[in-house]
Amino acid sequence: MKKTATILLFISVFIGIISSCNQNSASDTTTGNKAEMEQGYALINTYCVSCHTPAGNADNRIAPPFIAIKKHYINNKTSYQEFETAIAAYINNPTKENSKMPGAVKRFGVMPKLELKAEDVSKIATYIYYTELESPEWFKKHYEQEHGSAQNTISDQSKLEIGQKMAMQTKGVLGKNLLNAIANLGPDGAVSFCNTRAISFTDSMAAELHANIRRISDQPRNPQNRASDAYLSKIQSYKQQLSRGEDLKGDSVLSNGKSYYIYPIVTNAMCLKCHGDTKKDIAPKTLAKINVLYKMDEATGYTENQLRGIWVVDFD
């Protein structure tokens, strides 16, 4: 009797997987190339659905459902190209740093690497991006609890305070990994870390904390981190406060009708190994690596207790 019940349970789960896949047929699309959508659907059924099926409950899963992937990787500003690049980065090299789902990685671990052709990854991305994916019954409540917790916190405390906690938490993650890079590879290895990993770490923390988090400066090393005009006056104000020996505090900037919350980044002795005087603070090997990786570097010449830049946090 027990054996019969087990077989029936297996059959019901199997049917659930097949039926839930069939409900999300390749014709259920908004836009996108029809042939690529159908091929993407076939590839997902071959390589992905056994782990990412919408069937099953929240407790006994081995990977997040497709709808969870879509919600973590796509918002109303995400273009298809941005999504394809991000999802391809993880599929091609599944690491914690390449994932935008730190909670899922913590629970399930990273997925095994799939040897897929670039065009097949693109078709899978096309299907996920353009299809109205099925959501398991439990997922809406789970997502609201996970996503709503940050929103509830923001309603209870000032956004300025919440933003500071987020910035400092992200700073802690970056700092820990940067120190590991310095300890294992030296300052020149840390330059390579910043070049290839810092932005992905920041993006991962932003996804986990349900906010947009970035670092900007009036003297950037990476051109992507250059401060726009909206922030330059605040940066100058922080510099003046530092010169007068005042404590720096978080502030807000209004740009295009939206508030952005900013927090100062001040140099210490460790910073000078990569951002100090090029003749006395930065080792020749480190400087050579900076010159190779950052052709337009402006981020040297600092001393201790100077403003290196600012954190910017805003809430979607």
PDB file of all heavy atoms in Angstrom, residues 126-141:
ATOM      1  N   THR A 126      15.101  35.302 -24.213  1.00  0.00           N
ATOM      2  CA  THR A 126      13.971  35.880 -24.955  1.00  0.00           C
ATOM      3  C   THR A 126      12.655  35.348 -24.414  1.00  0.00           C
ATOM      4  O   THR A 126      11.703  36.103 -24.180  1.00  0.00           O
ATOM      5  CB  THR A 126      14.083  35.550 -26.454  1.00  0.00           C
ATOM      6  OG1 THR A 126      15.281  36.128 -26.967  1.00  0.00           O
ATOM      7  CG2 THR A 126      12.890  36.103 -27.231  1.00  0.00           C
ATOM      8  N   TYR A 127      12.588  34.039 -24.196  1.00  0.00           N
ATOM      9  CA  TYR A 127      11.348  33.437 -23.706  1.00  0.00           C
ATOM     10  C   TYR A 127      10.986  33.968 -22.316  1.00  0.00           C
ATOM     11  O   TYR A 127       9.841  34.357 -22.063  1.00  0.00           O
ATOM     12  CB  TYR A 127      11.477  31.915 -23.673  1.00  0.00           C
ATOM     13  CG  TYR A 127      10.213  31.246 -23.199  1.00  0.00           C
ATOM     14  CD1 TYR A 127       9.134  31.090 -24.063  1.00  0.00           C
ATOM     15  CD2 TYR A 127      10.071  30.824 -21.887  1.00  0.00           C
ATOM     16  CE1 TYR A 127       7.950  30.513 -23.629  1.00  0.00           C
ATOM     17  CE2 TYR A 127       8.894  30.236 -21.442  1.00  0.00           C
ATOM     18  CZ  TYR A 127       7.841  30.092 -22.319  1.00  0.00           C
ATOM     19  OH  TYR A 127       6.664  29.535 -21.890  1.00  0.00           O
ATOM     20  N   ILE A 128      11.961  33.989 -21.406  1.00  0.00           N
ATOM     21  CA  ILE A 128      11.676  34.447 -20.041  1.00  0.00           C
ATOM     22  C   ILE A 128      11.281  35.920 -20.033  1.00  0.00           C
ATOM     23  O   ILE A 128      10.346  36.326 -19.338  1.00  0.00           O
ATOM     24  CB  ILE A 128      12.906  34.213 -19.127  1.00  0.00           C
ATOM     25  CG1 ILE A 128      13.162  32.716 -18.966  1.00  0.00           C
ATOM     26  CG2 ILE A 128      12.693  34.863 -17.758  1.00  0.00           C
ATOM     27  CD1 ILE A 128      14.431  32.390 -18.198  1.00  0.00           C
ATOM     28  N   TYR A 129      11.982  36.739 -20.823  1.00  0.00           N
ATOM     29  CA  TYR A 129      11.756  38.189 -20.798  1.00  0.00           C
ATOM     30  C   TYR A 129      10.368  38.553 -21.328  1.00  0.00           C
ATOM     31  O   TYR A 129       9.681  39.398 -20.758  1.00  0.00           O
ATOM     32  CB  TYR A 129      12.826  38.890 -21.639  1.00  0.00           C
ATOM     33  CG  TYR A 129      12.782  40.395 -21.580  1.00  0.00           C
ATOM     34  CD1 TYR A 129      13.445  41.093 -20.570  1.00  0.00           C
ATOM     35  CD2 TYR A 129      12.088  41.141 -22.534  1.00  0.00           C
ATOM     36  CE1 TYR A 129      13.419  42.477 -20.505  1.00  0.00           C
ATOM     37  CE2 TYR A 129      12.049  42.523 -22.482  1.00  0.00           C
ATOM     38  CZ  TYR A 129      12.718  43.190 -21.465  1.00  0.00           C
ATOM     39  OH  TYR A 129      12.684  44.565 -21.413  1.00  0.00           O
ATOM     40  N   TYR A 130       9.949  37.909 -22.422  1.00  0.00           N
ATOM     41  CA  TYR A 130       8.722  38.326 -23.095  1.00  0.00           C
ATOM     42  C   TYR A 130       7.479  37.527 -22.705  1.00  0.00           C
ATOM     43  O   TYR A 130       6.367  37.883 -23.085  1.00  0.00           O
ATOM     44  CB  TYR A 130       8.903  38.248 -24.614  1.00  0.00           C
ATOM     45  CG  TYR A 130       9.830  39.306 -25.162  1.00  0.00           C
ATOM     46  CD1 TYR A 130      11.074  38.957 -25.676  1.00  0.00           C
ATOM     47  CD2 TYR A 130       9.474  40.654 -25.158  1.00  0.00           C
ATOM     48  CE1 TYR A 130      11.938  39.921 -26.182  1.00  0.00           C
ATOM     49  CE2 TYR A 130      10.330  41.620 -25.650  1.00  0.00           C
ATOM     50  CZ  TYR A 130      11.556  41.244 -26.165  1.00  0.00           C
ATOM     51  OH  TYR A 130      12.411  42.213 -26.663  1.00  0.00           O
ATOM     52  N   THR A 131       7.629  36.462 -21.955  1.00  0.00           N
ATOM     53  CA  THR A 131       6.478  35.609 -21.639  1.00  0.00           C
ATOM     54  C   THR A 131       5.860  35.973 -20.300  1.00  0.00           C
ATOM     55  O   THR A 131       6.568  36.294 -19.340  1.00  0.00           O
ATOM     56  CB  THR A 131       6.912  34.126 -21.604  1.00  0.00           C
ATOM     57  OG1 THR A 131       7.441  33.772 -22.882  1.00  0.00           O
ATOM     58  CG2 THR A 131       5.729  33.217 -21.292  1.00  0.00           C
ATOM     59  N   GLU A 132       4.551  35.910 -20.221  1.00  0.00           N
ATOM     60  CA  GLU A 132       3.827  36.085 -18.967  1.00  0.00           C
ATOM     61  C   GLU A 132       3.912  34.764 -18.211  1.00  0.00           C
ATOM     62  O   GLU A 132       3.111  33.850 -18.435  1.00  0.00           O
ATOM     63  CB  GLU A 132       2.365  36.461 -19.253  1.00  0.00           C
ATOM     64  CG  GLU A 132       1.596  36.931 -18.037  1.00  0.00           C
ATOM     65  CD  GLU A 132       2.075  38.287 -17.538  1.00  0.00           C
ATOM     66  OE1 GLU A 132       2.507  39.103 -18.370  1.00  0.00           O
ATOM     67  OE2 GLU A 132       2.020  38.506 -16.317  1.00  0.00           O
ATOM     68  N   LEU A 133       4.887  34.649 -17.339  1.00  0.00           N
ATOM     69  CA  LEU A 133       5.186  33.371 -16.707  1.00  0.00           C
ATOM     70  C   LEU A 133       4.166  33.013 -15.628  1.00  0.00           C
ATOM     71  O   LEU A 133       3.623  33.887 -14.963  1.00  0.00           O
ATOM     72  CB  LEU A 133       6.589  33.402 -16.094  1.00  0.00           C
ATOM     73  CG  LEU A 133       7.735  33.592 -17.090  1.00  0.00           C
ATOM     74  CD1 LEU A 133       9.033  33.838 -16.338  1.00  0.00           C
ATOM     75  CD2 LEU A 133       7.869  32.373 -17.985  1.00  0.00           C
ATOM     76  N   GLU A 134       3.988  31.714 -15.458  1.00  0.00           N
ATOM     77  CA  GLU A 134       3.065  31.230 -14.428  1.00  0.00           C
ATOM     78  C   GLU A 134       3.665  31.442 -13.051  1.00  0.00           C
ATOM     79  O   GLU A 134       4.859  31.236 -12.826  1.00  0.00           O
ATOM     80  CB  GLU A 134       2.774  29.743 -14.637  1.00  0.00           C
ATOM     81  CG  GLU A 134       1.813  29.179 -13.611  1.00  0.00           C
ATOM     82  CD  GLU A 134       1.557  27.700 -13.818  1.00  0.00           C
ATOM     83  OE1 GLU A 134       2.146  27.112 -14.741  1.00  0.00           O
ATOM     84  OE2 GLU A 134       0.767  27.140 -13.041  1.00  0.00           O
ATOM     85  N   SER A 135       2.834  31.862 -12.126  1.00  0.00           N
ATOM     86  CA  SER A 135       3.277  32.074 -10.747  1.00  0.00           C
ATOM     87  C   SER A 135       2.647  31.015  -9.847  1.00  0.00           C
ATOM     88  O   SER A 135       1.428  30.858  -9.839  1.00  0.00           O
ATOM     89  CB  SER A 135       2.861  33.474 -10.274  1.00  0.00           C
ATOM     90  OG  SER A 135       3.238  33.676  -8.939  1.00  0.00           O
ATOM     91  N   PRO A 136       3.454  30.247  -9.092  1.00  0.00           N
ATOM     92  CA  PRO A 136       2.881  29.267  -8.154  1.00  0.00           C
ATOM     93  C   PRO A 136       1.965  29.954  -7.143  1.00  0.00           C
ATOM     94  O   PRO A 136       2.132  31.142  -6.845  1.00  0.00           O
ATOM     95  CB  PRO A 136       4.118  28.685  -7.461  1.00  0.00           C
ATOM     96  CG  PRO A 136       5.265  28.988  -8.360  1.00  0.00           C
ATOM     97  CD  PRO A 136       4.919  30.271  -9.059  1.00  0.00           C
ATOM     98  N   GLU A 137       1.024  29.220  -6.593  1.00  0.00           N
ATOM     99  CA  GLU A 137       0.064  29.794  -5.654  1.00  0.00           C
ATOM    100  C   GLU A 137       0.753  30.437  -4.445  1.00  0.00           C
ATOM    101  O   GLU A 137       0.325  31.462  -3.940  1.00  0.00           O
ATOM    102  CB  GLU A 137      -0.908  28.711  -5.172  1.00  0.00           C
ATOM    103  CG  GLU A 137      -1.876  28.237  -6.249  1.00  0.00           C
ATOM    104  CD  GLU A 137      -2.859  27.206  -5.722  1.00  0.00           C
ATOM    105  OE1 GLU A 137      -2.846  26.985  -4.490  1.00  0.00           O
ATOM    106  OE2 GLU A 137      -3.617  26.642  -6.516  1.00  0.00           O
ATOM    107  N   TRP A 138       1.838  29.818  -3.976  1.00  0.00           N
ATOM    108  CA  TRP A 138       2.514  30.306  -2.774  1.00  0.00           C
ATOM    109  C   TRP A 138       3.394  31.522  -3.041  1.00  0.00           C
ATOM    110  O   TRP A 138       3.780  32.233  -2.123  1.00  0.00           O
ATOM    111  CB  TRP A 138       3.383  29.202  -2.158  1.00  0.00           C
ATOM    112  CG  TRP A 138       4.368  28.609  -3.131  1.00  0.00           C
ATOM    113  CD1 TRP A 138       4.199  27.486  -3.886  1.00  0.00           C
ATOM    114  CD2 TRP A 138       5.668  29.127  -3.468  1.00  0.00           C
ATOM    115  NE1 TRP A 138       5.301  27.261  -4.675  1.00  0.00           N
ATOM    116  CE2 TRP A 138       6.215  28.253  -4.431  1.00  0.00           C
ATOM    117  CE3 TRP A 138       6.414  30.230  -3.054  1.00  0.00           C
ATOM    118  CZ2 TRP A 138       7.485  28.448  -4.993  1.00  0.00           C
ATOM    119  CZ3 TRP A 138       7.669  30.432  -3.606  1.00  0.00           C
ATOM    120  CH2 TRP A 138       8.194  29.552  -4.559  1.00  0.00           C
ATOM    121  N   PHE A 139       3.717  31.760  -4.343  1.00  0.00           N
ATOM    122  CA  PHE A 139       4.776  32.726  -4.622  1.00  0.00           C
ATOM    123  C   PHE A 139       4.371  34.166  -4.309  1.00  0.00           C
ATOM    124  O   PHE A 139       5.175  34.948  -3.799  1.00  0.00           O
ATOM    125  CB  PHE A 139       5.211  32.627  -6.088  1.00  0.00           C
ATOM    126  CG  PHE A 139       6.287  33.616  -6.430  1.00  0.00           C
ATOM    127  CD1 PHE A 139       7.590  33.427  -5.986  1.00  0.00           C
ATOM    128  CD2 PHE A 139       6.002  34.764  -7.166  1.00  0.00           C
ATOM    129  CE1 PHE A 139       8.590  34.342  -6.280  1.00  0.00           C
ATOM    130  CE2 PHE A 139       6.990  35.690  -7.457  1.00  0.00           C
ATOM    131  CZ  PHE A 139       8.285  35.469  -7.018  1.00  0.00           C
ATOM    132  N   LYS A 140       3.135  34.540  -4.613  1.00  0.00           N
ATOM    133  CA  LYS A 140       2.720  35.927  -4.377  1.00  0.00           C
ATOM    134  C   LYS A 140       2.893  36.319  -2.916  1.00  0.00           C
ATOM    135  O   LYS A 140       3.447  37.379  -2.596  1.00  0.00           O
ATOM    136  CB  LYS A 140       1.262  36.124  -4.815  1.00  0.00           C
ATOM    137  CG  LYS A 140       0.792  37.560  -4.648  1.00  0.00           C
ATOM    138  CD  LYS A 140      -0.644  37.727  -5.135  1.00  0.00           C
ATOM    139  CE  LYS A 140      -1.103  39.177  -4.949  1.00  0.00           C
ATOM    140  NZ  LYS A 140      -2.519  39.362  -5.373  1.00  0.00           N
ATOM    141  N   LYS A 141       2.434  35.446  -2.016  1.00  0.00           N
ATOM    142  CA  LYS A 141       2.564  35.737  -0.585  1.00  0.00           C
ATOM    143  C   LYS A 141       4.033  35.796  -0.180  1.00  0.00           C
ATOM    144  O   LYS A 141       4.453  36.679   0.567  1.00  0.00           O
ATOM    145  CB  LYS A 141       1.829  34.670   0.227  1.00  0.00           C
ATOM    146  CG  LYS A 141       1.855  34.922   1.733  1.00  0.00           C
ATOM    147  CD  LYS A 141       1.058  33.861   2.480  1.00  0.00           C
ATOM    148  CE  LYS A 141       1.096  34.127   3.982  1.00  0.00           C
ATOM    149  NZ  LYS A 141       0.345  33.087   4.737  1.00  0.00           N
TER     150      LYS A 141
END
